[in-house]
Amino acid sequence: MEYLFSKSTEALSSSVVREILKLTQGSRVLSLAGGLPAADSFPIAEMREAFDGAFHLGATALQYGLTDGYIPLRQWIAERMKQKHIHVGVDNMLVTTGSQQAVDLLSRVYLDEGDVVLVENPTYLAAIQLFHFRGIQVIPVEADEDGMDLDDLAKKIAQYKPKMAYVIPTFANPTGKVWSMERRLGLLRQCKENNILILEDDPYGEIQFDGEAPYRSIFSLDEHPTNCCVVYTSTFSKIVAPGLRTGWALGDERVIQMMVKAKQAVDLQSSTIDQIALHQLLANFDLESHIAKIRASYKERMEWMNELLLRQQWEGFSWQKPRGGMFLWATLPEHVVSADLLKIAVEEGVAFVPGEAFYAADTKTNNMRLNYTLLNHEDTELAISRLGKALERYSKVTV
Amino acid sequence: MEYLFSKSTEALSSSVVREILKLTQGSRVLSLAGGLPAADSFPIAEMREAFDGAFHLGATALQYGLTDGYIPLRQWIAERMKQKHIHVGVDNMLVTTGSQQAVDLLSRVYLDEGDVVLVENPTYLAAIQLFHFRGIQVIPVEADEDGMDLDDLAKKIAQYKPKMAYVIPTFANPTGKVWSMERRLGLLRQCKENNILILEDDPYGEIQFDGEAPYRSIFSLDEHPTNCCVVYTSTFSKIVAPGLRTGWALGDERVIQMMVKAKQAVDLQSSTIDQIALHQLLANFDLESHIAKIRASYKERMEWMNELLLRQQWEGFSWQKPRGGMFLWATLPEHVVSADLLKIAVEEGVAFVPGEAFYAADTKTNNMRLNYTLLNHEDTELAISRLGKALERYSKVTV
């Protein structure tokens, strides 16, 4: 038997980075690479009770459910979204297996092979990978600290006639960046004028460090939510726990219902019991206090990493202190190839994600993404010190 | 905003059947339509304990896990598959969100738009829908009581050069049919000779009524499991509970690992906690006795429906008594359009799935699929009597 894989699998070819990171699994390597929440942030006891509570519904908790998701959970989400100036009903909403699935489903109902998606450069690597897997052209738009450059956006729209723009405007992955209001409104206006659908991915919006009002989602800035040019997706992965694989997408009913039909063909529905248990938790849980605790804890970890990096004074090593989210994006001297550095770093016992993985084009090779949420203070200190040793060895090798 | 859905969504256009069945939700309509297991077959108390046990693993139960699935669960499945003459390791196996997702993932890594899949006619409607959604040509092969007609198979292979064959050889959906050994071996031989991958879907194999040894899977008949031309998929939906959305696929490591990469892009992984809880259950549970109970209960329900139908003596109404699975496939007189009958049936308070939904081509309109696992004896009796009234009204309308 000679296996004849589909053309699209070419986009799935193993990356060097993934292969290196695989080596770190279960080893003594301290990982700043993943996007894992701190294990001590999970409400384990409450979640255990919530699962127990879910069984009070009897067989319903284990039976097939609706493809679009458990209605009380969707009602709870709709209610909470009001705090964020988003006013939608349950028919505007679909529960997904993490927000990752929302990206897949929307791409499948909205994009054909060869269609163009605009993204920030750099952006979430799994989104790039998914779009490439679907044969979609991913075109990067220039960006600075405030978000996409609106002039370059106009240029790319004129040049490529995109059908969609994929953005993470609040505490972006990998850069941690927050878009200014001007850029949010500018993207919205240009997309409306050119009939471009915006996919707003907001997994990190709740992890805000400054205690101010949350940043307005682009979805909430659209004046016509019933004929909206934004589909918004978020997840419980970062504010409750990722192992429940529960995210959601919301938008115009026609778009959402098309995603529901796609989901019916793809996996019928996400876990019934997880959705019911999550609803049980949320109904009896002070989520706001819980999120406040996560924010405080992650802020402390971020400040600690920031402090450790400041102490190092590595030459040509710079970063913007994150205002939220889970990642610190660092720039190394131009000659450093961070994927090569990673090999040495893994030998020293520390891992990170080289920046090149996050570029759809015009790849820069001298960045790294550091996660500060997973490790405790002691391990973070050790990890940064190992990173220092790796940098030292790297500079000797390449001199 | 004018929404410009992808070309593939044309395959998702709402069917008349689905619209009618939607009307039955939450109403007094008795449903013989779905493929739902009996609610009283779920091991609720044991599952509740298993979830509780999963939390003994602490944060691991709620954290991100491996894309290919929880290793102890895969080990358990590998061990159990030995009973079925299937000998594979955990790297030959992927946990999926129901076996439905296995069909999607394999189609995505193995089939390009325009590629051909051979299927039995009729076959599982959601598989047809998924293939069409992916722009794949679905070519039906003639079949009789023993499975695919091997001459027609040879003809269709020569004519269409298919890349894949999708089959449910044991207690097929919708027909309940069991393929003979000759047909299983014949399909395997022809597919090997022509480098065609077989996707063997086996959700119902455990639900066997005759107490004999299980039918051999086509996968287990392949002499070269490491370069196998079969990918086998099954699920816990029918032997434990569907709400856990846990299925698996197994096959050659190269194929499975490609599916793992696709899954990473599509939804990262299925629920961590559901996989751990399921493993907890299976480690402490007499699954064989449980399956024996399900078999006995479903057999009794099938016999009851069979008995009720025999009593009716509806003119021109025929069926083959199922040897396993969840469905009874009935043929009505040729002039009856079962989709029209459904409208009257719903008015009378009973629903079924019209046969036409299961045909990829050469559609016959005078069949119906009746599920006998969901309703208890009393409701089944009422449902069949309502169906009788509908048939009577239908014959008056069409005379």
Side-chain angles (χ1 to χ4, degrees), chain A residues 108 117 183 197 220 231 356:
Chain A
R108 290 176 83 164
V117 174
R183 301 294 175 89
L197 191 67
S220 75
V231 172
E356 62 180 50

Side-chain angles (χ1 to χ4, degrees), chain A residues 145-314:
Chain A
E145 286 317 308
D146 292 325
M148 269 187 185
D149 179 301
L150 297 179
D151 291 335
D152 193 52
L153 175 64
K155 208 178 95 187
K156 297 286 165 63
I157 289 174
Q159 189 176 351
Y160 293 101
K161 312 278 176 233
K163 269 187 88 174
M164 191 190 280
Y166 169 82
V167 292
I168 313 170
T170 306
F171 315 129
N173 183 358
T175 61
K177 186 188 296 183
V178 180
W179 286 34
S180 68
M181 181 59 92
E182 183 214 343
R183 301 294 175 89
R184 289 170 196 246
L185 290 169
L187 175 74
L188 187 59
R189 186 180 48 73
Q190 289 196 33
C191 285
K192 265 183 186 294
E193 283 170 9
N194 294 282
N195 207 56
I196 297 162
L197 191 67
I198 298 169
L199 174 50
E200 179 178 24
D201 194 0
D202 186 31
Y204 310 108
E206 302 274 6
I207 317 294
Q208 182 169 337
F209 296 149
D210 62 10
E212 301 291 315
Y215 297 94
R216 284 288 294 264
S217 67
I218 296 174
F219 185 94
S220 75
L221 297 170
D222 194 323
E223 284 162 27
H224 301 286
T226 54
N227 190 25
C228 185
C229 84
V230 188
V231 172
Y232 172 97
T233 178
S234 188
T235 175
F236 289 102
S237 290
K238 278 74 188 182
I239 55 173
V240 179
L244 301 168
R245 309 300 305 121
T246 307
W248 67 91
L250 52 87
D252 183 276
E253 196 175 326
R254 285 163 291 172
V255 179
I256 295 298
Q257 292 309 314
M258 197 62 94
M259 291 170 74
V260 171
K261 285 182 196 171
K263 185 166 170 66
Q264 191 165 40
V266 162
D267 67 5
L268 293 180
Q269 57 156 127
S270 299
S271 166
T272 308
I273 178 108
D274 290 8
Q275 292 182 63
I276 294 178
L278 193 47
H279 177 254
Q280 288 280 325
L281 176 90
L282 296 168
N284 302 298
F285 184 59
D286 185 353
L287 181 67
E288 307 310 326
S289 302
H290 182 70
I291 292 175
K293 266 188 266 174
I294 293 177
R295 281 182 191 138
S297 156
Y298 287 2
K299 185 178 184 218
E300 203 192 330
R301 289 178 185 216
M302 180 279 290
E303 295 278 8
W304 178 236
M305 180 179 279
N306 188 63
E307 169 68 25
L308 291 167
L309 291 173
L310 284 172
R311 281 190 213 159
Q312 304 300 318
Q313 300 196 308
W314 292 325

Side-chain angles (χ1 to χ4, degrees), chain A residues 320-341:
Chain A
Q320 193 92 23
K321 190 172 155 184
R323 287 184 274 169
M326 298 171 65
F327 305 111
L328 186 148
W329 178 249
T331 304
L332 296 146
E334 279 214 359
H335 70 275
V336 176
V337 177
S338 62
D340 292 340
L341 175 64

Side-chain angles (χ1 to χ4, degrees), chain B residues 59 155 185 218:
Chain B
K155 209 178 94 186
L185 290 169
I218 296 174

